[in-house]
Amino acid sequence: METRKPKSMRPLLLAWNGFLAVFSIMGTWRFGIEFYDAVFRRGFIDSICLAVNPKSPSAFWACMFALSKIAEFGDTMFLVLRKRPVIFLHWYHHAVVLILSWHAAIELTAPGRWFIFMNYLVHSIMYTYYAVTSVGYRLPKLVSMTVTFLQTLQMLIGVSISCIVLYLKLNGEMCQQSYDNLALSFGIYASFLVLFSSFFNNAYLVKKDKKTAVKQD
Ligand SMILES: CC(C)(COP(=O)(O)OP(=O)(O)OC[C@H]1O[C@@H](n2cnc3c(N)ncnc32)[C@H](O)[C@@H]1OP(=O)(O)O)[C@@H](O)C(=O)NCCC(=O)NCCSC(=O)CC(=O)O
């Protein structure tokens, strides 16, 4: 795109974000039924140690989740075609989430239940936010702050669950997650926690010089 003009693509971007918002809302609802059942009927320990039944409808939504991580590279494509900055957090997140999701999917890890549900839920809000902003509408700062806060909270819960699973495994509990996947989950969630906390700090807490914060359309 170096020698080309940025493309506007507003209607396509709206359709893209709208589609991912609806998909994430459906995932939250359909996968949420099993998640609710596991956490509130069978208990927290079961929910992080016993994986979803691979023949249940929730397994379909877990599979859709893994596939959606490939589709989400479309976000990056839009940023490039519109000549918007592709920040480190963005491309690092999209690349390693794909690796983690597929590594967890082939193992059918039990804590994946938490990771999938949380991400469907946060993406329902995030893609709705992006759908609204993609038509040029600017939402109050409190809204974007809330989205970033929920993303950061998701990473904190991911790190905490990885620590709890490690503790349980070291104490002889049968938890369906290999040490390889556990190390991967911990490392990735910890790096996301640092990156999203720093994004939150820079975007909402640090006072910016207005001259350097000019945006182009
Ligand atoms: C509030 C946020 C959701 C968004 O922050 P931003 O700084 O990107 O917000 P912004 O309103 O300034 O929008 C920046 C520009 O990106 C455009 N944009 C539109 N759709 C997009 C999409 N699907 N992905 C990335 N950018 C997109 C917007 O229209 C806007 O363009 P214009 O200026 O032209 O109007 C934040 O918390 C965040 O995640 N920022 C990191 C950037 C990012 O790529 N996040 C998504 C992947 S992380 C993720 O997915 C975490 C998770 O797994 O939960």
Side-chain angles (χ1 to χ4, degrees), residues 17 82 84 90 93 119 123 129-130 138 148 151 154:
N17 286 313
R82 297 173 71 230
R84 292 293 188 265
H90 175 91
H93 170 272
N119 202 240
H123 276 194
Y129 168 86
Y130 274 135
R138 288 279 148 219
T148 313
Q151 289 169 318
Q154 172 191 214

Side-chain angles (χ1 to χ4, degrees), residues 1-7 80 83:
M1 292 298 292
E2 215 170 57
T3 56
R4 291 164 203 266
K5 286 192 171 152
K7 309 220 176 293
V80 172
K83 292 189 90 165

Side-chain angles (χ1 to χ4, degrees), residues 25-46:
I25 292 165
M26 282 171 70
T28 306
W29 171 246
R30 301 301 296 167
F31 195 82
I33 295 169
E34 200 276 348
F35 178 82
Y36 178 87
D37 193 64
V39 177
F40 295 104
R41 286 190 216 279
R42 285 184 275 139
F44 175 69
I45 302 292
D46 263 22

Side-chain angles (χ1 to χ4, degrees), residues 107 109-111 115 162 165 169 175-179 181-182 185:
E107 269 189 24
T109 64
F115 305 157
S162 302
V165 171
K169 278 173 83 78
C175 276
Q176 192 164 334
Q177 185 177 30
S178 69
Y179 279 108
N181 188 263
L182 187 52
S185 303

Side-chain angles (χ1 to χ4, degrees), residues 91-130:
W91 66 258
Y92 171 76
H93 170 272
H94 276 42
V96 299
V97 148
L98 178 69
I99 297 168
L100 178 60
S101 309
W102 281 75
H103 195 277
I106 53 160
E107 269 189 24
L108 200 72
T109 64
R113 172 187 285 115
W114 276 81
F115 305 157
I116 293 171
F117 178 72
M118 287 193 299
N119 202 240
Y120 267 142
L121 181 62
V122 170
H123 276 194
S124 304
I125 302 163
M126 186 189 86
Y127 281 113
T128 305
Y129 168 86
Y130 274 135

